[in-house]
Amino acid sequence: MTTTLLQTPFHDVHVNHGGKMVDFAGWSMPLHYGSIIDEHHQTRNSGSLFDVSHMGRFRFKGRDARRFLDFVCTRQIFGMSDGQARYSMVCNEDGGVKDDVLVYRLGESEYMMVCNASNRLKLIDHFADVRGDHVFKFTDETESTGMVAVQGPKVMELISNFSSEIPTLKRYRFTVKNLLIAKVMISRTGYTGEDGVEIILPGKFANKAVDMLMKNVGSGDDAAIKPAGLGARDSLRLEAGMALYGHEITEEIDPVSANLGFAIKFNKGDDNPEIGRFIGQDVIDRLHTEGTARRLVGLVLEGRRAARQHMDVVINGTIVGEVTSGCLSPTLGTSIAMAYVDAANADPGTTVEVDLGRQQIPATVTTLPFTA
């Protein structure tokens, strides 16, 4: 049985630029256009444009929109200001992570949420199951909109050539602009460790808007911004120590173990009934107080062989952890990985070994991120 993949508004652009298209969470997405390493360096040194339209985009609007989001999100939504975005988790009753999300406040009773493509349908079902008597309108806008990320050290300078407002945005702030009679949301957010913006816009205007952007950044080998695919996005986020759903966070992994305490409002709602507590809070508050059995750490391996997910981390023949992600870092030129290890072995400088199958490679525990 053949499954028809969903296509983003930029599908023809990817094909015309020679994108290597793959199935990613049911979407036809570009893995790369040429060399993943070249696209990685392009992002670190100048700028790249990533199609991230596969990510889920939800709108919550109505009287209880904020109250509901405070119920399902680990981060406090109460008190956000218009034009502000917050990174958060959506957890299950056991404290495991259903997804990591970005929540944007458009107004007192209107919010957007961006989630991972692989969890979009799961979250829709979850929100319906736990909605209770909260009054709001929920809309899945994923397939009617497009989303791109423009990331790199030269991005904001280039944007300043045609906008004075956007470069002044603080991190995790956004603005809504009118472009071609369409509303475009531009946020100073990203998933590469570099500065830049993410742009959400109506699908039918997506290609024209991106064409306008690309015409202002040069062309060919000298272009300041070039298209990049999922391969570079993954190596970039790994260097930046950013968690990836299905690797560093899952429904069986809590956000405390994942070092994501910054995205949790511990004891949320205890002193303000207007905020309320979130799903899974009892477990997460306890783990925060008592500590977790394992912690997420960085590993720097000897040599150039890359560690892969589920490989064992070993000390003196005893398994003390498991790799979640790994690659040969294009920026550092060495093999790096993230792994969960027993709390007793999680201090920076601890020497371990990673079991690559035929041999065990020495590695050193380090703090995250790997690159500034």
Side-chain angles (χ1 to χ4, degrees):
M1 178 177 169
T2 302
T3 302
T4 301
L5 297 178
L6 294 168
Q7 295 182 358
T8 78
F10 309 104
H11 181 79
D12 291 345
V13 174
H14 302 318
V15 173
N16 293 338
H17 281 79
K20 169 65 175 177
M21 307 304 290
V22 298
D23 178 355
F24 186 84
W27 292 80
S28 177
M29 297 296 296
L31 180 63
H32 57 78
Y33 298 88
S35 162
I36 292 177
I37 293 177
D38 288 347
E39 292 172 14
H40 182 108
H41 288 312
Q42 170 72 21
T43 311
R44 285 278 182 255
N45 298 325
S46 185
S48 295
L49 185 144
F50 300 85
D51 180 7
V52 291
S53 302
H54 60 306
M55 300 187 73
R57 289 173 292 284
F58 305 143
R59 187 178 299 266
F60 303 79
K61 186 175 183 179
R63 185 186 72 192
D64 295 331
R66 192 279 306 163
R67 188 183 294 274
F68 177 76
L69 289 170
D70 261 323
F71 177 55
V72 297
C73 292
T74 59
R75 198 75 179 270
Q76 184 170 302
I77 308 304
F78 179 85
M80 286 179 65
S81 57
D82 292 356
Q84 184 178 7
R86 278 185 176 163
Y87 177 74
S88 179
M89 309 288 124
V90 175
C91 290
N92 58 34
E93 292 283 0
D94 297 323
V97 180
K98 283 185 169 292
D99 202 10
D100 58 331
V101 301
L102 271 178
V103 178
Y104 307 74
R105 173 169 155 148
L106 292 155
E108 184 177 358
S109 60
E110 185 173 6
Y111 297 81
M112 286 283 295
M113 176 186 286
V114 171
C115 70
N116 284 293
S118 58
N119 293 324
R120 171 188 162 209
L121 299 181
K122 178 178 73 174
L123 286 188
I124 292 174
D125 289 343
H126 174 62
F127 293 154
D129 289 342
V130 301
R131 181 168 183 156
D133 59 0
H134 291 98
V135 178
F136 63 90
K137 181 180 180 181
F138 173 84
T139 309
D140 177 11
E141 299 184 352
T142 308
E143 295 184 40
S144 63
T145 58
M147 183 173 178
V148 294
V150 192
Q151 305 279 291
K154 296 183 180 179
V155 167
M156 301 313 292
E157 176 186 350
L158 290 165
I159 290 177
S160 68
N161 293 330
F162 51 92
S163 171
S164 59
E165 177 190 1
I166 295 170
T168 66
L169 289 173
K170 295 180 180 180
R171 290 283 292 166
Y172 289 91
R173 296 296 190 275
F174 69 91
T175 185
V176 178
K177 308 291 287 184
N178 289 316
L179 178 66
L180 303 172
I181 70 171
K183 287 188 176 181
V184 178
M185 192 168 82
I186 305 167
S187 60
R188 198 161 189 172
T189 53
Y191 189 60
T192 62
E194 294 293 336
D195 198 1
V197 296
E198 293 179 310
I199 306 168
I200 299 174
L201 66 172
K204 60 184 177 181
F205 294 110
N207 278 319
K208 187 175 290 292
V210 169
D211 284 344
M212 291 174 61
L213 172 66
M214 298 304 286
K215 286 177 181 178
N216 287 276
V217 298
S219 60
D221 293 339
D222 296 327
I225 297 176
K226 299 178 183 179
L230 295 176
R233 194 164 184 258
D234 188 50
S235 58
L236 289 159
R237 71 90 194 169
L238 178 51
E239 287 185 348
M242 293 178 168
L244 175 64
Y245 195 86
H247 290 253
E248 287 72 43
I249 44 179
T250 69
E251 292 226 33
E252 287 70 46
I253 299 175
D254 67 272
V256 180
S257 299
N259 295 331
L260 294 171
F262 68 91
I264 306 168
K265 175 64 174 177
F266 296 108
N267 302 311
K268 181 178 178 181
D270 286 0
D271 58 356
N272 189 343
E274 176 66 17
I275 300 172
R277 295 171 65 81
F278 62 81
I279 297 172
Q281 182 169 341
D282 290 347
V283 175
I284 290 172
D285 281 349
R286 176 174 54 79
L287 291 171
H288 175 59
T289 301
E290 299 177 359
T292 58
R294 285 190 169 185
R295 285 165 41 197
L296 183 67
V297 301
L299 297 177
V300 177
L301 286 68
E302 291 187 6
R304 296 175 62 84
R305 290 190 61 186
R308 300 301 181 197
Q309 187 179 25
H310 302 310
M311 287 182 170
D312 290 332
V313 180
V314 179
I315 295 180
N316 297 326
T318 300
I319 296 174
V320 298
E322 181 179 358
V323 171
T324 55
S325 298
C327 74
L328 178 62
S329 165
T331 302
L332 302 175
T334 190
S335 180
I336 61 174
M338 287 196 281
Y340 279 99
V341 299
D342 294 344
N345 306 117
D347 292 338
T350 302
T351 300
V352 300
E353 292 183 323
V354 177
D355 189 346
L356 301 184
R358 294 185 178 181
Q359 63 181 142
Q360 294 184 347
I361 301 295
T364 302
V365 174
T366 187
T367 56
L368 297 169
F370 297 100
T371 56

